[in-house]
Amino acid sequence: MASDFADQDTPRGPDADDVAAAGIDGAIVGGLAGRDRFGAGWSPGGAARGARTAGGIVALQGLGRVNAEAWQAAFDKAYAACMAGEPRPLTRRERCRSTGVVSGGGQLGGVAVSSRRGCD
């Protein structure tokens, strides 16, 4: 039960910081290695291609990656609940279902938005 809970509760996927850093590195390499319309110098097109390629590769490498510390923390939480005879904790998705509400409208009406607090 605890491992199933941890599998469901732990976010998976690429780290956004890694993707951004790779995109910047790729833009620099692509811009320097590419050719501008005169055949020399900085290439904006090469920079764009390099950023997309490098960022895409890192994103693909990160698919399915799990943060081991977050998984262990979720496991420990569910295990403790099980050993104490308490119900299974709610997963992140169960705790934080969208509850957004928009009220008001029209040209003069205000708009209010509501959401749940404490959803991380």
Side-chain angles (χ1 to χ4, degrees):
M1 190 261 318
S3 62
D4 286 342
F5 172 78
D7 287 341
Q8 292 176 21
D9 193 55
T10 307
R12 289 172 162 64
D15 183 358
D17 292 339
D18 292 344
V19 174
I24 291 168
D25 290 344
I28 293 168
V29 171
L32 294 173
R35 298 195 172 166
D36 64 6
R37 59 188 170 141
F38 302 111
W42 179 260
S43 170
R49 285 188 299 277
R52 286 192 304 268
T53 302
I57 289 171
V58 170
L60 289 173
Q61 288 173 340
L63 290 178
R65 179 173 50 198
V66 176
N67 179 333
E69 291 176 10
W71 189 92
Q72 187 64 52
F75 178 89
D76 293 345
K77 180 174 152 182
Y79 185 80
C82 180
M83 297 311 290
E86 297 172 356
R88 176 185 65 80
L90 297 176
T91 64
R92 183 180 317 260
R93 179 172 282 159
E94 292 166 339
R95 275 191 324 266
C96 299
R97 292 197 183 260
S98 175
T99 59
V101 176
V102 178
S103 60
Q107 292 180 354
L108 300 176
V111 175
V113 178
S114 173
S115 182
R116 289 190 181 191
R117 293 183 184 185
C119 294
D120 53 352

